[in-house]
Amino acid sequence: MKTFIKINTLLIACMAFIATSCNQGGDSSNGALSSNIAEKVYVAPGERDEQYAFLSGGYSGNLTVYGLPSGRMFKEIPVFSQFPTSGYGYSEETKPMLNTSFGFIPWDDLHHPDISQTNGELDGRWIFANGNNTPRIARISLSTFETEEIIEVPNSAGNHSSSFITENTEYVVAGTRFSVPVPQRDMPIKEYKENFKGALTFIAVEPEHGHLDIKFQLLMPGFNYDLSHPGRGKSHGWFFFSTYNTEEANTLLEVNASQNDKDFIAAVNWKKIEEYVNNGGGKKMPAKYAHNVYDESTHTATSTMKDEVLTVDPSEVPGAIYFLPTPKSPHGCDVDPSGQYIIGAGKLSADITVHSFDKMLAAIDAGNFDGDAYGIPIIKYEDVVAGTVQSGGLGPLHTEFDGKGNAYTTFFISSEVVKWKLETWEVVDRQPTFYSVGHLMIPGGNSRKPHGKYLVAMNKITKDRYLPTGPEMEHSAQIYDISGEKMQLLYDFPTHGEPHYAAGCDADLLMNNSKKIYRIDENMHPYAIKSPSEAKVVREGKDVHIYMSTIRSHFTPDNIEGVKVGDKVYFHITNHEQDFDVPHGFSMIGQGTSEILVMPGQTKTSLWEPKRVGVWPFYCTDFCSALHQEMQGYIRVSPANSNIELSWSLDE
Amino acid sequence: MKNASILMIVGSALLLGLFVFPMWNIRLGAPQYPEPLGIDIHINGLQGESEFDIQNIDGLNHYIGMKVLPKPDEMWEFSVFPKVVLSMAAIGILIGALGLLGKISSVWFLAWFVIMGILGALGIYDFNLWLVDYGSDLDPNAILKLVNPDGTPMVYNPPLIGHKKLLNFDAFSYPRLGGIMLGIGMLFSLIAFFIGRKATLKAN
Ligand SMILES: [Cu+2]
């Protein structure tokens, strides 16, 4: 009898399995279908991927570059964190990149990459990213795939509703998650309410070189500004920010900031504020923030400390800002490709709220508001809402679009991606994620023209997806094919750090602009040498500057004498190769810094402070050639009081 | 004779292509060079197919002790060849023009072809001498000193024409547009001779 029950249960289980397999149309482990799926992600050896994906590294502080559909990682671009692999943040040239008003900060939490746009379409010039912890915005070149600029954002804390750009890259926008006293001062935390401010910062992007400059800071009520997106098309000129903690709680936010049935999406008419500012509006406020720029021709970053920022009080620009009530602490705040719909994902709710831009304008025209918050008019919910998606899931976070009238929303709590139709608001498909998806990315999914073939879901929880590696694991991501009516799970791959957002684009947009080498004849580094014959060693007091050359497979010079204990020795290394993918590295025994990796045509500087007498070797850390092991040299370190003259040589 | 003379003029003029386009090309591909390194041999000097190819070939060649590739002023050929080609083109055009005016017979075209052929053969002989010298006159202190199975030192001259395996490299040597134009030009002069002769025979 017992056996019978067991068999029966097994049968029922099997039938259920078959039924779900049929329903889900092919994500199961059915052999024929799996091989079909395998073909979709198989990029044969030597072939290249169709698309680039830039995944934020979260607490790694860096940005990772992947290929789609293979899920192969191509590069980790150091942005906010020191990176011993290349020497970023360790070399003398790149240390200034991590300078802030708090001094040198070796790390940050990188969240939301966004690719530059022209007319609402990806143009592939730069990618921007935000540092969440010590508020900063970075601009990364998409020809060198290196960080070129970092600007600190004053009066901000938890730089989270950032670094989203307007549709012609006029501005990169940085909103604060934590409201703080502005300016910072010594005051009781309990007096948060009505005293703290939430700064929304509009950073102008100079069109030719992309240089960043804070245009104005909007000092908003003390809510938490969570995420944001630009208007596009018809809503170009507006920016939308989701908020939570409109309760203005300052403790136990998980309860106290979850009391209001509705928080807001703040709609900001930045064009109106820009005009106000251009006409002399706003108030200059003292503020200390760093602006760090890396110059590709000198291969060197400089850090400048700024001392003033232009602030705007919302009440001074009537008609520029409105609040759209949105249920349950919205996280994602996404705008569809047409610019008509603003999607608020109330993270504690089951439903997704969609606001209509046209309805918003009509409500503003009618002037019929539901009161105000700190002078900012609140539009009536029913006057602005276009529809709600009865998702059947729980915990919607983030929505992107395929350009074919569909939207895709992640659900953290129910761990799934839900596909639904704009305008009818009906759910057409859902697929599980593994596990607890945070954000998703469709290349171009945050532009007027999505390239809706693949969707990447970035999960927060990994558990059993891969071979176990102890308590700490990389996160997992899934790739879905979204070209059909139903989503199809294709592939699963681990990601580095904790990806929050990602941005992607077609390979064609970037691959032909990707630099292969730096030209030695364009190297304007003050310590560069144009050929190995110019190598020399110069003493300036206790500073010793070594103008060193690398070319396969030797350093020039490779024997140096006359260095003394207590000196500061600067190795200025110029890589004289002009061949693609021939870097040389440099490392010195007992050096309190990382190695450096010098690209062809580049100059980088490594500092060594010798502490002991002796003859000390250095070597090339990059396996550059068959004679890489021979690529080494010696430095003789004499006592501080020695009279040995500086000398250097190669093959003498 | 009119057609023959025009063909002679065109054929001779085609030589001038050598002043614009490379005559010959040597390309070196290897597993780690999916985009091969290439040398375009112009009548007045060597040029990398990509900007830094010459530098990079020299960089690789130093391992096996080859000399660096010659600059224009380091080989007499690069100053003499242009003069020879220019003269031959001028002479060819001149005799073509004289043919057109009926002052000379088509035998002159043949004479031009034969002289050009001899000069071309000498040029190729000289080119081969250089290739052999370049590939076998190696620095005795070279980093890699490789020997053939019979114990003789390995040489690295690229092929005169066609393909040859040089260690990890596949070397390909073929004429380029300038050289092809030279060939076609010579062929034209030969055809001009035959057409001219036929016309003369008919007239008689
Ligand atoms: Cu090396």
Side-chain angles (χ1 to χ4, degrees):
Chain A
M1 189 60 192
K2 233 176 173 180
T3 322
F4 175 70
I5 290 172
K6 259 190 184 165
I7 289 170
N8 222 357
T9 321
L10 197 67
L11 270 175
I12 291 165
C14 285
M15 281 168 73
F17 174 69
I18 290 162
T20 41
S21 307
C22 289
N23 284 344
Q24 301 200 343
D27 70 329
S28 77
S29 52
N30 179 306
L33 284 174
S34 313
S35 71
N36 174 14
I37 291 170
E39 274 169 27
K40 287 189 176 182
V41 292
Y42 182 67
V43 178
E47 301 282 302
R48 300 202 274 196
D49 281 279
E50 290 166 49
Q51 293 179 319
Y52 281 99
F54 296 86
L55 273 60
S56 81
Y59 37 62
S60 81
N62 295 337
L63 188 67
T64 45
V65 189
Y66 288 79
L68 298 179
S70 73
R72 297 181 294 186
M73 186 177 125
F74 302 144
K75 183 176 184 175
E76 180 171 5
I77 303 174
V79 182
F80 295 116
S81 291
Q82 280 184 302
F83 195 59
T85 303
S86 65
Y88 180 86
Y90 291 99
S91 74
E92 294 306 296
E93 289 80 2
T94 54
K95 280 181 189 170
M97 289 302 280
L98 302 180
N99 192 34
T100 74
S101 62
F102 300 92
F104 179 87
I105 305 278
W107 166 91
D108 213 308
D109 184 8
L110 184 150
H111 271 243
H112 311 130
D114 206 8
I115 297 171
S116 58
Q117 297 184 11
T118 303
N119 294 324
E121 292 181 26
L122 305 183
D123 63 24
R125 291 183 295 166
W126 309 296
I127 186 164
F128 299 89
N130 59 319
N132 195 52
N133 180 54
T134 303
R136 286 174 275 180
I137 296 289
R139 181 177 56 80
I140 295 129
S141 158
L142 288 180
S143 69
T144 61
F145 291 69
E146 299 288 345
T147 306
E148 284 191 331
E149 190 164 355
I150 293 179
I151 191 164
E152 192 180 351
V153 184
N155 299 326
S156 176
N159 175 34
H160 196 271
S161 39
S162 321
S163 44
F164 302 105
I165 51 140
T166 54
E167 77 166 19
N168 288 302
T169 322
E170 294 98 334
Y171 293 99
V172 51
V173 174
T176 193
R177 177 167 141 220
F178 310 120
S179 284
V180 287
V182 176
Q184 273 291 4
R185 58 193 179 272
D186 178 21
M187 65 175 278
I189 300 169
K190 274 198 168 63
E191 290 170 21
Y192 178 121
K193 208 164 185 165
E194 298 177 17
N195 285 313
F196 284 26
K197 292 274 179 269
L200 306 180
T201 306
F202 284 70
I203 302 166
V205 182
E206 184 268 316
E208 200 187 339
H209 302 99
H211 290 314
L212 304 174
D213 187 25
I214 296 180
K215 178 87 172 176
F216 59 86
Q217 277 195 320
L218 200 51
L219 296 182
M220 295 284 284
F223 309 152
N224 292 35
Y225 296 85
D226 201 2
L227 278 165
S228 67
H229 268 102
R232 54 179 62 99
K234 61 162 69 178
S235 54
H236 177 55
W238 290 78
F239 222 94
F240 304 94
F241 298 84
S242 59
T243 70
Y244 65 100
N245 192 25
T246 50
E247 297 86 349
E248 294 181 75
N250 60 279
T251 183
L252 193 62
L253 263 64
E254 66 171 312
V255 175
N256 296 328
S258 307
Q259 296 306 306
N260 288 353
D261 184 48
K262 292 191 177 66
D263 293 283
F264 300 126
I265 284 178
V268 175
N269 186 336
W270 58 261
K271 281 223 163 146
K272 202 160 198 165
I273 300 166
E274 181 186 59
E275 196 185 314
Y276 167 76
V277 164
N278 285 345
N279 289 326
K283 205 178 94 194
K284 286 194 175 141
M285 177 191 275
K288 205 178 158 206
Y289 59 102
H291 182 209
N292 312 327
V293 181
Y294 182 85
D295 182 333
E296 194 182 311
S297 66
T298 59
H299 302 279
T300 302
T302 46
S303 179
T304 319
M305 205 57 73
K306 302 250 189 176
D307 52 16
E308 197 175 63
V309 71
L310 185 66
T311 59
V312 174
D313 176 347
S315 66
E316 306 269 320
V317 201
I321 305 161
Y322 298 91
F323 284 136
L324 321 180
T326 306
K328 289 288 167 200
S329 303
H331 185 62
C333 175
D334 301 291
V335 179
D336 85 304
S338 73
Q340 167 70 302
Y341 298 113
I342 302 117
I343 286 101
K347 63 178 183 272
L348 306 178
S349 117
D351 300 337
I352 303 160
T353 306
V354 184
H355 295 306
S356 154
F357 180 69
D358 286 346
K359 285 184 82 173
M360 182 189 91
L361 291 186
I364 293 169
D365 271 351
N368 190 10
F369 300 114
D370 196 2
D372 68 275
Y374 295 99
I376 295 169
I378 302 169
I379 296 175
K380 282 185 179 156
Y381 176 71
E382 49 282 9
D383 284 355
V384 70
V385 73
T388 53
V389 181
Q390 313 284 322
S391 70
L394 200 57
L397 287 187
H398 176 206
T399 304
E400 289 213 346
F401 310 89
D402 64 5
K404 293 176 249 171
N406 302 301
Y408 301 78
T409 304
T410 52
F411 283 75
F412 179 80
I413 301 172
S414 54
S415 192
E416 59 186 334
V417 177
V418 171
K419 175 182 179 180
W420 51 277
K421 275 194 162 22
L422 286 159
E423 301 192 331
T424 69
W425 325 121
E426 61 177 319
V427 170
V428 289
D429 192 23
R430 60 195 328 126
Q431 285 289 330
T433 63
F434 309 91
Y435 305 96
S436 288
V437 61
H439 292 277
L440 53 74
M441 186 276 284
I442 295 169
N446 164 38
S447 76
R448 279 204 213 178
K449 210 172 165 188
H451 304 257
K453 186 169 179 192
Y454 302 112
L455 181 155
V456 181
M458 291 160 278
N459 298 285
K460 302 298 186 191
I461 293 172
T462 309
K463 303 266 187 190
D464 63 346
R465 294 305 286 177
Y466 312 114
L467 290 174
T469 54
E472 190 184 328
M473 291 165 287
E474 296 285 35
H475 288 226
S476 85
Q478 277 94 42
I479 301 174
Y480 300 83
D481 179 346
I482 55 163
S483 56
E485 182 66 12
K486 298 282 178 190
M487 295 179 277
Q488 188 179 35
L489 174 60
L490 298 181
Y491 196 60
D492 186 322
F493 65 102
T495 53
H496 192 52
E498 182 185 320
H500 292 262
Y501 264 55
C505 64
D506 286 343
D508 293 341
L509 191 64
L510 307 182
M511 54 186 273
N512 297 321
N513 297 333
S514 178
K515 254 203 157 75
K516 291 185 169 174
I517 59 162
Y518 299 101
R519 295 180 63 102
I520 193 82
D521 58 2
E522 289 174 359
N523 182 333
M524 305 299 281
H525 191 293
Y527 291 96
I529 47 174
K530 296 286 176 185
S531 90
S533 61
E534 292 170 27
K536 61 182 175 180
V537 184
V538 176
R539 176 180 282 284
E540 287 166 8
K542 290 223 167 249
D543 292 348
V544 177
H545 293 279
I546 303 176
Y547 297 68
M548 187 176 266
S549 156
T550 60
I551 197 152
R552 279 163 290 176
S553 305
H554 55 273
F555 292 97
T556 314
D558 65 359
N559 281 200
I560 299 165
E561 301 198 353
V563 168
K564 298 175 209 170
V565 169
D567 282 348
K568 279 182 139 184
V569 182
Y570 294 90
F571 295 91
H572 306 289
I573 301 191
T574 302
N575 182 350
H576 282 101
E577 307 283 355
Q578 293 284 267
D579 196 357
F580 185 28
D581 200 16
V582 189
H584 291 289
F586 174 84
S587 69
M588 182 78 220
I589 188 170
Q591 190 181 14
T593 184
S594 81
E595 58 111 33
I596 51 172
L597 208 54
V598 191
M599 295 304 123
Q602 195 176 39
T603 303
K604 274 189 188 173
T605 302
S606 187
L607 170 62
W608 177 49
E609 296 174 77
K611 296 190 169 64
R612 296 191 220 163
V613 165
V615 177
W616 306 102
F618 56 88
Y619 72 96
C620 172
T621 47
D622 184 279
F623 204 113
C624 52
S625 67
L627 294 151
H628 157 72
Q629 288 299 77
E630 283 74 8
M631 194 160 171
Q632 60 174 50
Y634 285 106
I635 297 196
R636 174 178 172 187
V637 178
S638 307
N641 58 2
S642 126
N643 298 323
I644 294 175
E645 285 293 307
L646 266 188
S647 66
W648 60 93
S649 62
L650 168 74
D651 195 20
E652 271 172 21
Chain B
M1 189 62 188
K2 189 181 164 206
N3 289 344
S5 301
I6 291 171
L7 201 58
M8 182 64 210
I9 293 171
V10 172
S12 314
L14 281 174
L15 261 60
L16 300 174
L18 285 168
F19 288 92
V20 186
F21 306 107
M23 179 164 53
W24 213 266
N25 171 274
I26 296 172
R27 214 172 261 179
L28 299 163
Q32 54 278 75
Y33 281 90
E35 286 175 33
L37 298 168
I39 311 170
D40 277 334
I41 302 169
H42 288 262
I43 195 157
N44 53 4
L46 303 180
Q47 212 167 45
E49 254 187 281
S50 295
E51 192 184 352
F52 298 106
D53 281 2
I54 297 272
Q55 176 181 335
N56 291 328
I57 289 169
D58 282 337
L60 294 169
N61 285 350
H62 103 280
Y63 288 113
I64 46 179
M66 281 164 91
K67 288 183 290 226
V68 298
L69 290 162
K71 305 279 172 298
D73 56 1
E74 288 165 358
M75 268 176 78
W76 61 266
E77 287 89 340
F78 293 134
S79 57
V80 170
F81 280 17
K83 288 175 192 143
V84 172
V85 169
L86 194 64
S87 311
M88 283 307 289
I91 293 168
I93 291 168
L94 180 72
I95 60 176
L98 290 173
L100 204 59
L101 297 171
K103 305 266 190 210
I104 56 170
S105 81
S106 64
V107 177
W108 282 86
F109 302 168
L110 182 67
W112 186 90
F113 172 79
V114 170
I115 293 169
M116 196 62 221
I118 291 167
L119 289 172
L122 285 172
I124 288 172
Y125 175 72
D126 182 67
F127 177 47
N128 194 47
L129 276 185
W130 174 71
L131 285 179
V132 170
D133 174 67
Y134 179 67
S136 57
D137 180 15
L138 304 173
D139 183 343
N141 293 324
I143 295 161
L144 292 173
K145 284 186 283 275
L146 299 177
V147 289
N148 293 312
D150 64 5
T152 56
M154 203 175 263
V155 295
Y156 306 98
N157 47 306
L160 186 60
I161 187 161
H163 166 256
K164 189 174 168 189
K165 189 90 188 160
L166 298 171
L167 301 180
N168 57 329
F169 279 90
D170 283 294
F172 298 91
S173 174
Y174 288 105
R176 290 292 285 261
L177 189 55
I180 292 167
M181 284 170 78
L182 166 72
I184 293 171
M186 285 176 66
L187 191 66
F188 277 14
S189 73
L190 192 61
I191 295 169
F193 161 67
F194 284 116
I195 295 174
R197 199 171 68 139
K198 217 168 159 187
T200 319
L201 289 176
K202 228 182 218 168
N204 295 343

